[in-house]
Amino acid sequence: AEITNESQRQQVETALADGFQWVVRLEAVDGLELFVELRRIMGAGESSCLALAKGNGWTVASDEKGAFKREAVRLLGAASIITTVDIYLFSIRAGLLTVAEADAAKTVLAKNRFVVPFGSFQELLCE
């Protein structure tokens, strides 16, 4: 329901049909209680994401700040939150992307207002 861009909605529907993504439902009582608690301070999507992650021991991929990040750290621990930059670094280390490909993607992300405080992913690989 949160996907309002028709092209993006179609991509999700295709991924579901292809088995690349799947639908999960928040049904456990403790998960629903946590959802209601979190809804007081954040949106439905963010609340359900954290409640499902907590209930299933999942890691969360998010670049959110503020209430979401604070609650994610409280509920899951900082080690259970990965960011966009983390995903690119994992992909480079796994040989799925080159640094040049990741840097090219970083340029596209920056054009869409996702700016990171480094010049190249190579800088982070040296740390």
Side-chain angles (χ1 to χ4, degrees):
E2 290 192 14
I3 303 171
T4 57
N5 179 295
E6 189 55 39
S7 171
Q8 292 173 348
R9 180 183 300 280
Q10 183 58 48
Q11 289 174 350
V12 169
E13 289 175 10
T14 299
L16 287 167
D18 292 347
F20 182 72
Q21 293 179 337
W22 61 96
V23 174
V24 293
R25 301 197 189 290
L26 183 58
E27 298 174 330
V29 173
D30 55 343
L32 291 168
E33 289 172 345
L34 179 57
F35 172 81
V36 170
E37 173 191 327
L38 293 170
R39 271 301 277 133
R40 295 183 187 128
I41 58 172
M42 65 184 72
E46 292 85 358
S47 298
S48 58
C49 175
L50 284 180
L52 282 164
K54 175 67 176 169
N56 292 289
W58 293 344
T59 296
V60 171
S62 174
D63 292 300
E64 294 286 330
K65 307 287 185 224
F68 182 90
K69 184 171 183 179
R70 184 178 55 253
E71 291 301 312
V73 169
R74 178 180 72 87
L75 294 167
L76 309 173
S80 290
I81 305 163
I82 60 173
T83 65
T84 299
V85 170
D86 294 328
I87 292 169
Y88 277 97
L89 289 171
F90 294 148
S91 298
I92 293 166
R93 289 181 178 123
L96 301 171
L97 282 177
T98 65
V99 170
E101 290 169 330
D103 286 344
K106 182 175 79 63
T107 300
V108 173
L109 291 172
K111 289 178 183 175
N112 290 283
R113 297 178 295 149
F114 185 87
V115 179
V116 292
F118 55 87
S120 171
F121 279 96
Q122 186 63 49
E123 298 168 34
L124 302 179
L125 293 169
C126 294
E127 294 179 351

